[in-house]
Each structure stands twice: as structure tokens, then as C-alpha cells.
């Protein structure tokens, strides 16, 4: 049976709590909206495969994450994708510069899967918002200054009933550099 999976960066618990507070506040102003109940995260990619294939891709994630060193991420402004009705918290330029290669390497490690990729690191507050609700969100939230240590990624599976992802595995950044393969000589 095919299942939908997501690979994401989860921030620290205090950032997750802050994002939940923002989502709840927005919900109190505009009622239910897409992603109002999802845990704060930065999506790297999503894919659909059979359950029997997932272990092979978990091993790939273990291998790639082992090479990453934890990085500090600073979220310092809000933004929106008007065409998608998305309102989000964005990292500063320095954080984007360190997150993008991590995201790209993780996506590359999951070849040959057909991925729905995110190339722009961000933490959604709301998705599929109407233009009016997007405007309300941008008026409610104007300044932000939070940071966390990005030291792992999570693999999540979609609960088809709740329509929410839940974490099934965590992959730590261990900072182990890949050994360079050097062609030796026999003589």
C-alpha cells in the first residue's frame, strides 16, 4: 500500500510552541484554515511510495545526515506566496545560505523518487489562505526574531484520517565528514 511521506526540519520545542501560538491566534481571527493544526516545520520534500520501500530511503537519510554539522537558524521576517495563499516565517539570508545546500543534498539522496520539493526554506503559518485572510495574517504578525539549532531532520508519514503528518523517524546531524576516495597505486 502506498503512503505519503514528508522530510522536514523541526525546530526546537520553544519555536514549535511559538508557532502554535501564532497559528491559534490566526485561527481565532479567521476560523479554520489549511495547516492551522500542523506542527511548525520547514518542509524539505514530500513523496509517495509503498511502505515496503521506506527502509531503503531511511538508510539514505541516515547516511546523508551523518555528514551534516548542526547549524544555527535565525527566523527574522514574515513573507507570503500570494499565488498559493501561504503566509510564513522566513529565515535571514545567512540561514538560507546554510539551509539550501542541506535541503538540496537530502533531496538528491532520495533519488530516484519523484519528489515534491521545497527550494525556499520557510515555516508556514497558513496555507491556501484567501487574499483577505492573507492580508489579516500580515497585519497580525509584523515582527519576529527567533532562532534554533538545526541538528536533525524528521521523516513524517501522513495520517489519511487526520490529514496530518506524524513523525516516524529522526536523523541526527553528526558532523562526520565523508572520507575522500583516493585512487591508490599498487607499485
Amino acid at each position: 500500500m502506498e503512503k505519503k511521506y514528508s522530510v522536514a526540519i523541526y525546530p526546537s520545542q520553544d519555536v514549535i510552541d511559538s508557532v502554535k501560538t501564532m497559528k491559534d491566534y490566526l485561527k481565532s481571527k479567521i476560523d479554520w484554515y489549511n495547516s492551522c493544526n500542523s506542527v511548525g516545520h520547514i518542509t524539505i520534500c514530500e513523496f509517495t511510495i509503498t511502505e515496503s520501500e521506506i527502509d531503503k530511503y531511511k538508510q539514505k537519510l541516515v547516511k546523508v545526515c551523518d555528514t551534516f554539522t548542526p547549524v544555527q537558524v535565525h527566523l527574522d521576517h514574515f513573507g507570503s506566496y500570494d499565488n498559493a495563499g501561504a503566509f510564513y516565517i522566513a529565515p535571514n539570508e545567512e540561514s538560507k545560505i546554510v539551509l539550501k545546500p542541506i535541503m538540496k543534498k537530502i533531496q538528491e539522496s532520495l533519488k530516484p523518487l519523484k519528489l515534491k520539493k521545497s527550494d525556499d526554506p520557510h515555516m508556514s503559518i497558513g496555507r491556501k489562505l484567501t487574499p483577505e485572510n492573507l492580508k489579516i495574517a500580515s497585519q497580525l504578525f509584523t515582527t519576529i526574531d527567533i532562532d534554533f539549532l538545526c541538528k536533525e531532520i524528521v521523516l513524517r508519514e501522513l495520517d489519511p484520517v487526520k490529514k496530518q503528518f506524524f513523525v516516524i523517524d529522526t536523523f541526527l546531524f553528526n558532523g562526520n565528514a565523508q572520507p575522500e576516495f583516493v585512487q591508490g597505486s599498487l607499485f
Side-chain angles (χ1 to χ4, degrees):
M1 186 174 109
E2 285 201 327
K3 292 188 172 185
K4 188 171 185 175
Y5 297 94
S6 163
V7 179
I9 294 168
Y10 266 24
S12 58
Q13 189 59 51
D14 58 330
V15 173
I16 287 172
D17 294 343
S18 296
V19 171
K20 180 171 178 16
T21 300
M22 286 185 257
K23 288 180 176 225
D24 289 347
Y25 186 56
L26 181 59
K27 189 176 171 185
S28 76
K29 299 295 181 189
I30 65 172
D31 293 325
W32 185 92
Y33 61 90
N34 281 73
S35 78
C36 67
N37 295 320
S38 71
V39 174
H41 65 279
I42 297 173
T43 300
I44 296 171
C45 61
E46 293 179 3
F47 54 91
T48 303
I49 57 172
T50 61
E51 200 171 2
S52 62
E53 295 176 275
I54 196 64
D55 284 342
K56 174 170 74 171
Y57 293 102
K58 281 184 180 183
Q59 290 311 308
K60 290 181 175 207
L61 291 172
V62 165
K63 195 172 177 183
V64 73
C65 288
D66 189 53
T67 67
F68 296 140
T69 301
V71 294
Q72 198 66 32
V73 175
H74 189 82
L75 305 166
D76 70 351
H77 64 283
F78 292 99
S80 63
Y81 301 123
D82 296 340
N83 58 340
F87 184 76
Y88 59 86
I89 308 169
N92 65 8
E93 278 309 307
E94 294 82 28
S95 295
K96 268 189 183 186
I97 289 167
V98 295
L99 286 174
K100 281 185 174 189
I102 290 171
M103 292 168 69
K104 191 171 178 59
K105 281 184 181 169
I106 290 167
Q107 292 163 353
E108 286 171 0
S109 77
L110 295 173
K111 284 181 178 169
L113 292 176
K114 186 178 177 182
L115 302 177
K116 179 181 168 191
K117 298 189 255 187
S118 172
D119 299 322
D120 188 28
H122 65 281
M123 198 172 296
S124 294
I125 299 293
R127 293 181 305 109
K128 298 181 184 173
L129 298 174
T130 63
E132 301 80 40
N133 287 345
L134 207 50
K135 186 177 179 191
I136 290 168
S138 65
Q139 290 169 341
L140 290 175
F141 306 111
T142 55
T143 60
I144 184 115
D145 185 18
I146 52 179
D147 56 66
F148 67 94
L149 183 66
C150 175
K151 59 185 180 10
E152 62 194 19
I153 61 166
V154 294
L155 177 65
R156 308 178 309 158
E157 183 182 309
L158 184 68
D159 179 325
V161 177
K162 292 181 180 175
K163 298 199 183 322
Q164 289 291 324
F165 283 102
F166 61 95
V167 175
I168 60 169
D169 215 334
T170 302
F171 305 90
L172 299 176
F173 294 1
N174 294 318
N176 292 320
Q178 287 282 57
E180 290 292 319
F181 178 74
V182 179
Q183 181 68 44
S185 170
L186 291 173
F187 304 101

